[in-house]
Amino acid sequence: FIDNVSLAPEIYKNADMRALCEGIESKLNADSLGELRGPCVWPSEVLLYIVGGDADDIFAKIEPMRKDFPVLQNARVVFQRRDQKKAPKEIRIGFND
């Protein structure tokens, strides 16, 4: 869930959502990790839903993109798991240094 209200206005103004989605799809496809679905837009958040294998692997591949796509800062990441041995979890992507 991309934060759609708390970041600096220039981040939203300069956000290229098409490039972000293409970048995510490229990373997912490179390692056959999953498929991007969405976006779904609400006033406070934009949902980019990824269906695929291991949520931790997918997150590890995508999280570094926050440096190139500042709109990912403060994004809420929800891990829903097929493997019942792994608990669902929710984290926030940090802010760029």
Side-chain angles (χ1 to χ4, degrees), residues 74-88:
N74 201 39
R76 184 168 61 96
V77 181
V78 178
F79 295 79
Q80 295 178 344
R81 316 248 191 202
R82 287 186 211 147
D83 183 350
Q84 298 302 316
K85 295 176 185 170
K86 292 184 177 181

Side-chain angles (χ1 to χ4, degrees), residues 21-42:
C21 289
E22 288 172 355
I24 290 171
E25 288 174 335
S26 175
K27 291 192 178 289
L28 294 172
N29 292 337
D31 293 321
S32 300
L33 291 173
E35 177 184 335
L36 176 65
R37 306 237 176 113
C40 297
V41 180
W42 294 284

